[in-house]
Structures are given as C-alpha cells and as structure tokens.
Amino acid sequence: MPVVLSSKVVVSVKWQKETFPAVEIDTSQPPYVFKCQLYDLTGVPPERQKIMMKGGLLKDDADWSTLGVKEGQKLMMMGTADVVKAPEKGPVFMEDLPEDEQVIAVGHSAGLYNLGNTCYMNSTIQCLHSVPELKSALLKYTNSGRSNDVDILSHNLTIATRDLFSELDRSVKPVVPMPFLTVLRKKYPQFAQQHNGVYMQQDAEECWTQLMYTLSQSLKALESSDSTATVKTLFGVDIVSRIYCTESGEESSETESVYSLKCHISQEVNHLHEGIKRSLKSELEKTSPSLGRSAIYCKESCINELPRYLTVQFVRFFWKRESNQKAKILRKVDYPLELDVYDFCSDELRQKLQHPRKVLRDEEGIKLGLKGKKNSSAEGDDSKKAAAEGSSSLGESSNAPTQEAGKSEKKPHLTGIYDLVAVLTHKGRSVDSGHYVAWAKQENGKWVEFDDDSPVPQREEDITKLSGGGDWHMAYLCMYKARVAEI
Ligand SMILES: *[C@@H]1O[C@H](CO)[C@@H](O)[C@H](O)[C@H]1NC(C)=O
Ligand SMILES: *[C@@H]1O[C@H](CO)[C@@H](O)[C@H](O)[C@H]1NC(C)=O
C-alpha cells in the first residue's frame, strides 16, 4: 500500500495590518501550495510573496522538513495584492430591444431561473446544451426506450435532460429547471446536501462528469441506430499510459476512457498547453511485486482516440484534508481559442491525423488566398492516395458509414485541432461558495454569457480573458469543438 506521509502544522501569518491566526501547512505538499493558500487569503500572487523563514526567504520548492516550522509559529509575509481588473464588458447592444426581438436578433436560447445555489447545475446544462449533436441524440431517446442495464433513475435523468434541452430551445422566457433538479438529486444524492436547511453549492465538474456518465449509459442503446453519435464519440478521450518503475525495471501499460483532460496547475504553468502536458506525466507509489515493498512508478500517458468535443478541466481545487474542504488555486492560466493537441497524441493517432491536417491546412490556405488552385489540386491527388492508405475518419471511431460505403461522398476527419465553444467559470475562493457561470458559443457564432436568468451577448476577445489571477470569473472547464477536414 502507498505510504501517505501527511502532517500538518498550524501557523499564524501576519501580512500588512492583518493576521491570519490559523493557517494550516500541509508539509507533505511543497511550499508553493501554502503560498496558494495565502494567495486565497490575501490576493498576493505566490511569485510576489516574501515569507521570512529560518535561513532566508521561503522557496516554492523547499523541503519543509529542513525548515523546522513549528506549531503556532508566527510567520510574516510581505507583498502587495493583485489589483483585480475585470475585463471590459462587451457592448450589450441588445439591451434596449423588446424581449422577443432580442431572442431573434441574438439567436440564443433562454436562461435558467435561480433555484437557490444551483449555478453549478445550470452552467453545466448551458455548456452541454450548446452541443447540437448531443441534443439530437437526446431527441431520439424515447420514454419507453430504456434498455435493461440502465436503472430507472438514469433513465429518468436522461428524459429530464432531453425535456430541459428542448424547453430551453423553445423558450423565450427563462426556464425553471425544477423537474431536472429533482431527478438529479434523486440519482445523485450528494447534490441534495443541505446546510442549515439551505441546499449547498456543489462542484460543477462533478455535476458535469456524473451527467455525462449517466447520458453515456442510457444513450448507449441508441448506438445501433446508424448515424447517432454516442456520448463516447462526442466526448470520450481514450488514454493509453505506460507505467514503469526505474528501480525495478517493471513496466506495464494501461488504457482508460475519460470525459476530460486535466490541466494541472503549478508555478511553471502559465498556459493550458503546459498544464495538459504536465497532467499526462505523473508519479505514483505502489507495491512493487519484484521488490516486495512500495516503490515509485512513473506514469506517462498519451491520447489514443479523440472526441468531437474535447473538455479540459483546470485542476483549481485541491482537497485540504485538515479542514475537510477544497481550496482553490487562483493562478492565471491562459487558454487559447484554437487548441492543437497533436503533441499529446500517440504515434498511432498522429499518423492518422497527419493527412487530414494537411488537407485542412491546404483548405485554410486557399481561403486565405495563400495558395493557388492549381497547386492545391495537385496536392489533392496525393492526398487521396494517402487517404486510401488509411487516415482517421470520424467513421472509424463512431458509427458513421466507413470510407468504402460512400466513395464519392466526403467525410469529416478529425485533425487534432479544436476551437473553443464553451467555458464554465467559477468566481470566488472556495468550491463550496462562489458562483458558476457558463459562456457558450451559439450556433450562429455569437458568444453568450449565461448567468442568472438573463443571457448577455459577449465579444469573443473577452472570452479568453477569463483565465484567473484574481477575483474575476475564471475558467474551470473549457470545451473545444473539433475542426475537421472533409476528405
Ligand atoms: C421515473 O419517472 C416516472 C415518470 O415520470 C415516474 O413515474 C417514476 O416514479 C420515476 N421513478 C423514480 C424512481 O423516480
Ligand atoms: C443558475 O442559478 C444560480 C443560483 O442558484 C444563479 O445565480 C445563476 O446565475 C444561474 N446560472 C445560470 C447559468 O443560469
């Protein structure tokens, strides 16, 4: 069994005129985590914190055991807090129009009414509701269509999701998601937790993952029906990992299917790309059969199959055992409108992506007027040959017809390039409080912020500013849509 070395030391921290009397240091974590806790408390980013310790300033990666911090010790921190500037709001150009004209002009669906601390749920719903393929899959799900291996509550939750999605589409006025919420709480009682008679705030990522899991189970039955995309082909990421122990030379591999990539956040991570890269490498401690004791194993993972909608979760919350609470890392981590995940793919998948990527680049080159028609049609011949040799058609991983089935018809192929279509943000300093909001790109290409019952149009350039570093809304989940090549 892994040996968990955990210990906590409670210290007091003085900063400017304030004193925080009981800050818990988890000495099994690097000092950087402690600095993140102080960031939560003070708003001073870790890189600007100066904390005096025996032997000088506290370094991010120092070893607590050599620093000799004692229970009750008084520490002093220097540093100035971030001045949080909210990005400029986009022009709310619709606000003077009457409501029905607004809906026609803006082209987005209705908002959701506040049912008391349910923003984790309505922001999840709004993000997933922006996926047309999921909507059409749900529309095919019938009240009597429950397969035997799906329990009644999963069935009811799927029906409730379907009905809520269509109500959102039909509605001009905000929708009250009560039937959905009732079934969600029945199926997953953790969302019914109360504190002093009030329903508690919940983690949107948990709601997202649970709902995704339920839908994938119940919609599986539809798989046989030709072109309906399954939740797996829409959102599932297949990961293959190599697990090895340098000490003993043992090596094994493991595959798993997940619904989101993780973006790990540490002091070196400034960008989504780096955060994903780090999360694909980890160390674990487990019993080595050949050594007969526990040893450190390295786990290196890569993507073996990509979905049409790729979700990335910023791992902003970490569990603090002592306080039985999730703490939040506020660090700014930028994310792009266009994400290329080629670097994270297995060799096998890269091979499949190569040709579609070339076709996509050529098409985009033509659009930009960078390439002459002649030139590209010559390359087009080459590409057909390459296509015949096998590239990754969406059909291979889904149930769409395969290449042979329709030779003349073009099929979409994944390229590993994705465009941002939805962002779920969290604002506030703890997972149990704060506020979740959804920012989703509508089918007409316009961005809308779904907060409370009134959706607000947004400018695309403001969407990537939700990257953290202060008290403003910051990205917690990002959903990207595959850019495909028609071959
Ligand atoms: C599932 O939904 C049906 C129809 O609304 C309802 O009659 C039934 O009681 C629900 N089942 C459970 C276990 O909640
Ligand atoms: C959903 O509900 C919460 C409160 O429970 C509300 O504050 C929030 O703005 C709503 N969010 C959306 C996305 O409609």
Side-chain angles (χ1 to χ4, degrees):
M1 285 310 289
V3 188
V4 181
L5 299 169
S6 128
S7 45
K8 66 166 191 185
V9 178
V10 180
V11 296
S12 78
V13 179
K14 186 172 178 336
W15 171 68
Q16 296 181 349
K17 290 193 182 87
E18 280 179 88
T19 300
F20 303 97
V23 185
E24 286 175 3
I25 301 178
D26 181 346
T27 53
S28 65
Q29 302 277 356
Y32 183 73
V33 170
F34 172 59
K35 289 188 173 180
C36 290
Q37 288 166 249
L38 294 180
Y39 184 19
D40 278 359
L41 293 169
T42 61
V44 182
E47 54 277 14
R48 289 216 300 267
Q49 293 177 12
K50 293 197 169 57
I51 302 164
M52 292 306 295
M53 299 288 290
K54 191 179 75 183
L57 288 177
L58 177 63
K59 295 211 177 65
D60 288 353
D61 51 359
D63 184 352
W64 285 114
S65 61
T66 63
L67 295 169
V69 250
K70 291 194 193 65
E71 187 75 16
Q73 192 171 335
K74 295 192 177 76
L75 299 178
M76 187 154 95
M77 182 185 99
M78 283 176 300
T80 47
D82 259 345
V83 183
V84 181
K85 267 216 309 240
E88 270 172 61
K89 278 261 183 177
V92 186
F93 33 77
M94 297 300 161
E95 66 189 348
D96 300 328
L97 294 178
E99 188 185 17
D100 3 349
E101 276 176 48
Q102 282 182 35
V103 172
I104 295 161
V106 181
H108 59 63
S109 48
L112 289 160
Y113 269 120
N114 185 341
L115 296 173
N117 272 342
T118 55
C119 57
Y120 70 91
M121 175 196 85
N122 45 14
S123 53
T124 297
I125 285 289
Q126 292 290 10
C127 285
L128 294 179
H129 177 249
S130 73
V131 176
E133 293 91 334
L134 182 60
K135 268 193 254 180
S136 41
L138 277 167
L139 282 178
K140 294 199 183 123
Y141 192 78
T142 58
N143 288 26
S144 56
R146 177 163 79 100
S147 76
N148 291 334
D149 50 356
V150 172
D151 63 281
I152 182 76
L153 284 176
S154 300
H155 173 70
N156 282 7
L157 185 54
T158 307
I159 300 277
T161 312
R162 180 198 71 191
D163 294 347
L164 178 55
F165 275 19
S166 36
E167 210 180 330
L168 282 170
D169 281 335
R170 272 183 280 117
S171 220
V172 172
K173 302 230 152 46
V175 170
V176 185
M178 204 56 206
F180 176 85
L181 181 61
T182 309
V183 190
L184 180 76
R185 285 182 176 155
K186 256 195 189 165
K187 169 75 186 159
Y188 296 109
Q190 76 258 37
F191 299 124
Q193 274 180 315
Q194 295 190 1
H195 183 69
N196 296 335
V198 179
Y199 283 110
M200 286 166 70
Q201 178 64 285
Q202 300 288 335
D203 187 336
E205 192 268 337
E206 273 166 34
C207 180
W208 182 294
T209 307
Q210 302 282 32
L211 185 57
M212 202 62 106
Y213 179 74
T214 300
L215 296 181
S216 75
Q217 294 300 305
S218 39
L219 296 180
K220 229 188 230 162
L222 295 171
E223 250 173 271
S224 46
S225 75
D226 61 297
S227 61
T228 309
T230 60
V231 172
K232 168 77 171 46
T233 53
L234 286 178
F235 303 102
V237 188
D238 282 354
I239 302 273
V240 53
S241 309
R242 185 170 83 95
I243 298 163
Y244 60 95
C245 175
T246 29
E247 203 184 341
S248 67
E250 290 157 302
E251 186 172 331
S252 61
S253 75
E254 185 183 288
T255 56
E256 61 193 315
S257 196
V258 295
Y259 289 117
S260 62
L261 292 179
K262 306 278 177 231
C263 172
H264 173 89
I265 305 179
S266 66
Q267 69 260 52
E268 298 88 11
V269 174
N270 296 309
H271 194 275
L272 183 73
H273 206 266
E274 296 156 31
I276 296 177
K277 191 168 165 189
R278 274 168 201 274
S279 74
L280 293 173
K281 268 197 183 157
S282 58
E283 277 189 353
L284 51 140
E285 197 173 338
K286 59 173 189 165
T287 309
S288 151
S290 71
L291 296 175
R293 57 169 166 83
S294 75
I296 303 285
Y297 285 73
C298 299
K299 180 173 176 182
E300 284 178 10
S301 312
C302 54
I303 301 170
N304 215 18
E305 201 169 303
L306 285 165
R308 286 191 229 172
Y309 289 86
L310 180 67
T311 305
V312 186
Q313 182 206 351
F314 292 86
V315 187
R316 289 204 173 273
F317 297 108
F318 62 96
W319 189 256
K320 278 208 291 196
R321 246 163 293 138
E322 304 78 21
S323 52
N324 232 15
Q325 251 191 357
K326 281 182 180 169
K328 185 176 178 187
I329 302 173
L330 298 177
R331 185 180 180 80
K332 179 171 161 65
V333 179
D334 287 315
Y335 54 91
L337 286 172
E338 178 190 318
L339 177 68
D340 188 349
V341 295
Y342 186 78
D343 288 353
F344 309 134
C345 296
S346 63
D347 291 341
E348 191 192 333
L349 179 55
R350 285 186 192 186
Q351 210 125 49
K352 290 186 196 163
L353 295 176
Q354 243 147 35
H355 175 61
R357 287 167 76 84
K358 185 172 181 305
V359 172
L360 183 72
R361 271 196 300 268
D362 288 349
E363 273 170 15
E364 290 179 344
I366 292 169
K367 268 190 216 136
L368 290 171
L370 297 176
K371 283 202 168 170
K373 270 249 158 71
K374 229 187 199 169
N375 185 0
S376 80
S377 73
E379 281 180 23
D381 286 342
D382 277 358
S383 13
K384 264 178 222 137
K385 236 186 279 158
E389 280 154 22
S391 63
S392 121
S393 152
L394 285 181
E396 272 178 29
S397 50
S398 71
N399 295 292
T402 53
Q403 298 235 338
E404 287 92 308
K407 271 213 173 83
S408 52
E409 227 179 281
K410 290 196 168 187
K411 302 268 171 330
H413 287 61
L414 292 174
T415 58
I417 297 170
Y418 287 81
D419 295 297
L420 187 66
V421 288
V423 183
L424 189 155
T425 57
H426 181 263
K427 184 177 155 181
R429 303 213 158 189
S430 133
V431 73
D432 305 320
S433 62
H435 186 44
Y436 289 105
V437 169
W439 314 68
K441 196 171 188 167
Q442 306 295 291
E443 279 178 76
N444 63 13
K446 293 207 170 102
W447 281 91
V448 173
E449 173 190 0
F450 291 96
D451 181 3
D452 288 317
D453 38 17
S454 55
V456 178
Q458 292 288 331
R459 296 183 307 186
E460 185 157 68
E461 58 264 41
D462 287 333
I463 297 300
T464 51
K465 290 181 188 157
L466 309 167
S467 52
D471 275 334
W472 187 239
H473 301 281
M474 68 183 78
Y476 182 36
L477 291 160
C478 278
M479 189 168 73
Y480 285 87
K481 182 180 183 177
R483 202 184 290 173
V484 295
E486 300 286 339
I487 302 171

